[in-house]
């Protein structure tokens, strides 16, 4: 595990005691700023069985026969708009990006029946949606299938980790921001008979199927199957997904870099958003160049 920490000396000592690893220093956060975006975009739907998934495809302005692609997944209770800036930023810098709404995603979802009911949502429904998207884009002639990446925020990070473990030879590398591994871990050891029919999570009402499906797999056992490079970005004051989940994932992955953002919470708001996007872009471009430069 490679750890990059934006932290003070006391945090370094804590990290050494907890993980046994000395973090390498990374640049401090920059002041909040804006970036110029230049891209092409269109509404782009993908079918998952009989479910119509709403999505948006962002392409670089320069027309090419093939584009590297990153598929970005959003967090719990939001929709594709939550990762829209990421998609625009990557397309501006030469990488096609696709964002979509998961089915049963709640208010703001434009996929499937597009209602606000989240009681049928589960880790297995959202990862099924992402798998369908991945498999469809692999059939498109303008996609460089040697350079397909997955990425996501919170639940979207969990989705990307889950699906890349199922398709390890098809996904070049993955980028996980505040990945929601806690989504499934929190239900471990609970008797299914004791699970409520519905539960409220941060104002959202989830059905029992969410917990039941979470008990059918171990996300950390799954992700060990993914051997390619992984970039994990996590704020050290995240009060929604504790950073301990990211440390554990970085230890399980064979080739992971954990980048710790000091003073940043789950939202990665302000300058942290732009700094994280820049770090993610550098990671993606390095892997694309790796393929182009190889004999």
């Amino acid at each position: 595990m490679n750890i990059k920490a934006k932290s003070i000396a006391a945090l370094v000592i804590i990290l050494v005691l907890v993980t046994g690893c000395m973090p390498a220093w990374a640049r401090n956060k920059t002041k909040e700023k804006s970036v110029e975006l230049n891209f092409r975009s269109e509404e782009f739907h993908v079918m998952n069985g009989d479910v119509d998934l709403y999505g948006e495809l962002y392409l670089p302005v320069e027309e090419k026969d093939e584009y590297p692609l990153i598929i970005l997944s959003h967090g719990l209770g939001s929709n594709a708009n939550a990762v829209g800036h990421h998609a625009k930023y990557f397309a501006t810098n030469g990488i096609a990006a696709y964002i979509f709404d998961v089915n049963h995603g709640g208010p703001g979802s434009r996929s499937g029946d597009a209602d606000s009911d989240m009681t049928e949502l589960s880790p297995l429904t959202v990862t099924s949606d992402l798998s369908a998207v991945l498999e469809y884009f692999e059939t498109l002639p303008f996609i460089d299938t040697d350079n397909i990446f997955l990425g996501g925020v919170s639940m979207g990070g969990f989705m990307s980790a889950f699906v890349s473990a199922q398709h390890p030879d098809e996904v070049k590398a993955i980028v996980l921001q505040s990945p929601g591994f806690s989504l499934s871990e929190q239900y471990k050891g609970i008797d299914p008979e004791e699970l409520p029919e519905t539960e409220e999570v941060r104002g959202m009402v989830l059905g029992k199927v969410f917990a039941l499906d979470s008990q059918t797999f171990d996300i950390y056992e799954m992700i060990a199957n993914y051997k390619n490079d992984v970039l994990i970005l996590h704020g050290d004051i995240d009060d929604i997904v504790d950073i301990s989940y990211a440390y554990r994932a970085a230890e399980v992955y064979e080739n992971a870099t954990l980048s710790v953002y000091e003073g940043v919470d789950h939202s990665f708001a302000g300058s942290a958003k732009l700094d994280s996007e820049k770090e993610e872009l550098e990671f993606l471009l390095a892997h694309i160049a790796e393929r182009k430069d190889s004999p």
Side-chain angles (χ1 to χ4, degrees):
M1 172 178 62
N2 179 20
I3 303 177
K4 298 189 293 181
K6 300 172 173 62
S7 55
I8 59 175
L11 180 59
V12 175
I13 295 172
I14 292 171
L15 292 175
V16 173
L17 292 175
V18 172
T19 68
C21 299
M22 174 63 75
W25 291 103
R27 61 188 178 278
N28 293 326
K29 292 181 295 180
T30 59
K31 294 181 179 179
E32 187 169 353
K33 54 190 178 300
S34 60
V35 294
E36 183 177 344
L37 302 173
N38 192 19
F39 55 85
R40 296 177 287 149
S41 66
E42 61 178 285
E43 187 174 314
F44 197 100
H45 292 239
V46 175
M47 298 299 297
N48 181 13
D50 60 356
V51 175
D52 183 349
L53 299 175
Y54 172 91
E56 297 170 7
L57 177 63
Y58 291 83
L59 294 172
V61 171
E62 181 183 358
E63 294 191 11
K64 294 184 176 180
D65 292 335
E66 288 185 338
Y67 299 95
L69 170 74
I70 183 166
I71 302 169
L72 296 163
S73 299
H74 64 78
L76 182 67
S78 62
N79 61 23
N81 296 346
V83 286
H85 193 275
H86 281 73
K88 295 170 185 176
Y89 181 73
F90 295 145
T92 297
N93 289 280
I95 302 172
Y98 184 69
I99 60 177
F100 67 100
D101 295 355
V102 299
N103 192 27
H104 308 303
S109 176
R110 294 153 288 189
S111 292
D113 52 20
D115 61 21
S116 61
D117 185 3
M118 298 179 68
T119 57
E120 295 182 63
L121 181 82
S122 89
L124 298 187
T125 65
V126 296
T127 52
S128 172
D129 289 343
L130 177 55
S131 291
V133 170
L134 171 62
E135 291 165 7
Y136 181 70
F137 271 91
E138 287 178 315
T139 69
L140 299 180
F142 61 90
I143 298 301
D144 177 358
T145 55
D146 288 330
N147 280 309
I148 294 180
F149 305 87
L150 297 184
V153 173
S154 194
M155 181 183 74
F158 163 85
M159 292 164 59
S160 298
F162 188 108
V163 172
S164 61
Q166 293 179 315
H167 301 265
D169 297 326
E170 301 161 51
V171 179
K172 182 73 173 290
I174 56 177
V175 177
L176 313 176
Q177 182 178 306
S178 309
F181 294 117
S182 58
L183 286 171
S184 59
E185 288 292 289
Q186 63 186 314
Y187 299 106
K188 274 189 170 182
I190 301 177
D191 185 338
E193 296 298 323
E194 297 179 0
L195 293 168
E197 290 303 314
T198 61
E199 64 173 320
E200 186 172 327
V201 178
R202 302 196 305 277
M204 298 168 280
V205 179
L206 302 178
K208 188 175 183 178
V209 65
F210 194 100
L212 290 175
D213 282 357
S214 295
Q215 293 181 329
T216 64
F217 61 90
D218 184 316
I219 187 60
Y220 288 106
E221 285 185 5
M222 287 189 67
I223 65 175
N225 188 50
Y226 189 74
K227 309 300 184 183
N228 293 346
D229 289 346
V230 181
L231 174 63
I232 306 172
L233 305 94
H234 212 110
D236 68 343
I237 59 170
D238 190 329
D239 61 351
I240 294 179
V241 179
D242 190 82
I243 195 171
S244 61
Y245 290 100
Y247 276 112
R248 184 178 173 189
E251 290 288 353
V252 171
Y253 277 121
E254 188 170 306
N255 295 292
T257 295
L258 172 58
S259 185
V260 179
Y261 279 66
E262 182 191 21
V264 172
D265 61 18
H266 194 69
S267 67
F268 268 75
S271 62
K273 178 176 74 171
L274 298 177
D275 287 343
S276 62
E277 287 176 346
K278 182 178 180 182
E279 185 172 4
E280 292 164 7
L281 176 65
E282 291 172 351
F283 174 81
L284 296 174
L285 291 177
H287 285 79
I288 296 169
E290 179 181 285
R291 182 249 183 182
K292 299 300 184 184
D293 295 340
S294 61

